[in-house]
Amino acid sequence: MIGSILLSAGFIQSLFLGLYFFFQGEGKKEYSRYLAFFFFFLSLSMACNLIYYSGNLNEFPHLIKLGYFFGFCIAPLFSFVVTQYFLIPKERINWEGFTLGIPVVFLIYQAPFFLLSGEDKILSLTKIQSKDIFSETNIYQILILFFSFFVFLRTYIRFQMEMGQFSKDLYWEGRIFAKYLFLLLIWLCFCILICFILPGKISESISNLGFSIWILGFAWHRVYLDKKESHDLPNNQSESVKYQKSYLPEIQMMELGKKLESLLDDKEFLLDGDLNLSFIANKLGISSHTTSQVCNRYFGKSLIEIIQEKRIEHAKYALKHSDETILRIGFDVGFNSKNSFIRVFKELTQLTPSEYRKKHRS
């Protein structure tokens, strides 16, 4: 009973989040639609899990094994949409494309089963020893959990690498994602262990219920607690809150975009290692949400990308015209660690700072 309630709540909350991000994307953040479609897809997965958990799968035979396909899809789709939503700089290797290929492989492998009649699909259920560790259902469950763990782990590491370059309140929304990803990783490890201790429907139910709870918690932080920022804005930013709720006019966006560009062209301002989103927003006299919106629409890139590119340009000049160490230059242009500086420099120039210096001073 409790399980059905939690799964139903997860299903409803997924639909709610889908609608929330869908309407947020209207004239504001088009990439919010990515999250909207993901949560709509997740609601389908939750509905399938609810039918399975309630024992009504025989009434919907064509849903048999479809839940496994949904399970393989969730992690790569989530990884793709959150990196798109936050405009995390692209990697040279199309990791998301590779991981999205795994569900396709499963679908092709199970194609003969999906083409069976409903009666034959129901008959196949009676041949499965669901409580056996090496049963088909348990093996698929373990594979999905391991696959999801490594995809979510890579996404979490990617987030930490990007967010770690800046002050803690830059992209605070991304840090909410990162925290929930960390909790999800812990939960996945627990679920993998349960698959070996209590194989079958019990382990599947536990993992599905845990994911429903995770969705409910994420929804609370993302939709409800996020509102706190609007209440914490100074009085002189009250006008900008209106723009958070509606489409930012093109003229207003261009004016703010030019002002932001002027700020980022200020070398002393740009290379400040403590530069953060709140400070930039205060300089512009608008909210953090609106600042991100202006940057994304004016430059066509995220604030992180713009700051990285401009800082690397200053680093390239220093590498060519000074004898400062790589570490000193990295700190001087605003990076908080040598590793972050080298990684970003190589991503943008395909050379390490040492290789770039050697190439342009030889």
Side-chain angles (χ1 to χ4, degrees):
M1 181 66 178
I2 296 177
S4 297
I5 292 174
L6 286 174
L7 281 172
S8 299
F11 167 72
I12 294 171
Q13 193 65 77
S14 296
L15 278 178
F16 173 75
L17 284 170
L19 292 170
Y20 176 84
F21 285 112
F22 182 83
F23 289 111
Q24 189 186 56
E26 287 189 342
K28 184 180 179 185
K29 288 184 177 180
E30 292 185 4
Y31 39 86
S32 290
R33 298 287 178 91
Y34 287 116
L35 276 174
F37 293 135
F38 168 76
F39 282 111
F40 287 143
F41 173 83
L42 187 61
S43 67
L44 292 177
S45 177
M46 288 289 181
C48 189
N49 289 332
L50 184 59
I51 292 172
Y52 173 76
Y53 188 82
S54 61
N56 296 320
L57 202 55
N58 287 344
E59 299 178 22
F60 303 91
H62 295 294
L63 295 181
I64 299 173
K65 292 191 179 182
L66 193 60
Y68 297 126
F69 172 70
F70 288 150
F72 278 113
C73 288
I74 287 173
L77 283 176
F78 185 81
S79 175
F80 172 75
V81 298
V82 296
T83 52
Q84 290 293 313
Y85 180 79
F86 290 107
L87 292 178
I88 297 295
K90 295 180 180 179
E91 298 179 277
R92 284 175 292 174
I93 299 175
N94 188 359
W95 175 256
E96 286 80 9
F98 171 75
T99 55
L100 286 170
I102 301 298
V104 176
V105 171
F106 172 82
L107 198 59
I108 294 173
Y109 177 73
Q110 290 294 331
F113 174 83
F114 289 124
L115 294 175
L116 293 175
S117 64
E119 293 79 6
D120 289 336
K121 287 177 180 175
I122 293 175
L123 183 62
S124 70
L125 285 180
T126 63
K127 299 178 181 179
I128 297 175
Q129 300 296 322
S130 60
K131 294 185 179 180
D132 186 353
I133 292 179
F134 298 103
S135 68
E136 182 184 83
T137 56
N138 203 53
I139 291 297
Y140 281 144
Q141 179 72 1
I142 291 173
L143 288 175
I144 290 171
L145 291 172
F146 268 110
F147 174 67
S148 299
F149 176 82
F150 285 111
V151 174
F152 283 128
L153 178 62
R154 181 175 177 82
T155 305
Y156 175 76
I157 292 173
R158 183 67 173 159
F159 260 76
Q160 292 297 90
M161 290 170 66
E162 293 300 330
M163 304 302 171
Q165 299 173 43
F166 303 95
S167 298
K168 290 184 177 180
D169 60 341
L170 180 62
Y171 277 68
W172 56 272
E173 189 181 17
R175 295 185 183 280
I176 292 178
F177 272 97
K179 288 178 181 177
Y180 270 88
L181 278 174
F182 182 73
L183 292 175
L184 187 58
L185 289 171
I186 295 175
W187 177 255
L188 288 171
C189 289
F190 172 75
C191 290
I192 291 171
L193 180 63
I194 292 296
C195 282
F196 289 99
I197 299 174
L198 299 170
K201 188 173 181 179
I202 294 178
S203 61
E204 289 189 62
S205 300
I206 290 174
S207 62
N208 290 332
L209 290 175
F211 198 72
S212 296
I213 295 171
W214 184 84
I215 287 294
L216 292 171
F218 170 76
W220 174 258
H221 272 89
R222 179 56 186 85
V223 179
Y224 301 112
L225 296 187
D226 281 3
K227 303 300 182 182
K228 182 177 182 296
E229 183 185 89
S230 296
H231 298 297
D232 291 342
L233 290 176
N235 293 332
N236 64 351
Q237 293 186 7
S238 59
E239 184 67 23
S240 68
V241 177
K242 297 179 182 178
Y243 292 119
Q244 284 186 225
K245 308 294 183 183
S246 61
Y247 183 72
L248 188 65
E250 191 69 19
I251 295 177
Q252 181 78 7
M253 187 276 295
M254 290 298 294
E255 290 177 355
L256 292 170
K258 290 177 180 178
K259 190 174 179 180
L260 174 60
E261 185 174 29
S262 177
L263 278 177
L264 296 179
D265 283 339
D266 183 334
K267 184 177 178 179
E268 184 177 353
F269 180 86
L270 175 71
L271 305 188
D272 184 351
D274 294 324
L275 183 64
N276 59 65
L277 182 60
S278 298
F279 185 65
I280 296 173
N282 286 332
K283 283 287 187 180
L284 294 174
I286 57 178
S287 72
S288 297
H289 277 296
T290 307
T291 301
S292 295
Q293 180 187 350
V294 168
C295 184
N296 295 330
R297 288 175 56 194
Y298 185 80
F299 291 105
K301 298 177 181 178
S302 71
L303 188 59
I304 287 178
E305 287 180 291
I306 295 298
I307 293 174
Q308 285 180 345
E309 290 175 3
K310 288 182 175 292
R311 285 179 172 177
I312 293 303
E313 286 301 315
H314 286 288
K316 287 161 66 175
Y317 181 86
L319 287 167
K320 288 191 291 185
H321 298 95
S322 79
D323 294 319
E324 294 284 358
T325 64
I326 302 298
L327 178 62
R328 182 69 265 165
I329 291 175
F331 285 141
D332 285 345
V333 298
F335 287 89
N336 293 326
S337 76
K338 182 178 180 180
N339 289 337
S340 294
F341 172 55
I342 293 175
R343 180 181 60 80
V344 174
F345 192 97
K346 190 169 184 179
E347 283 182 359
L348 295 179
T349 67
Q350 285 71 58
L351 296 170
T352 66
S354 298
E355 291 170 341
Y356 183 88
R357 170 174 270 173
K358 182 177 180 181
K359 179 179 177 181
H360 290 85
R361 298 184 68 174
S362 57

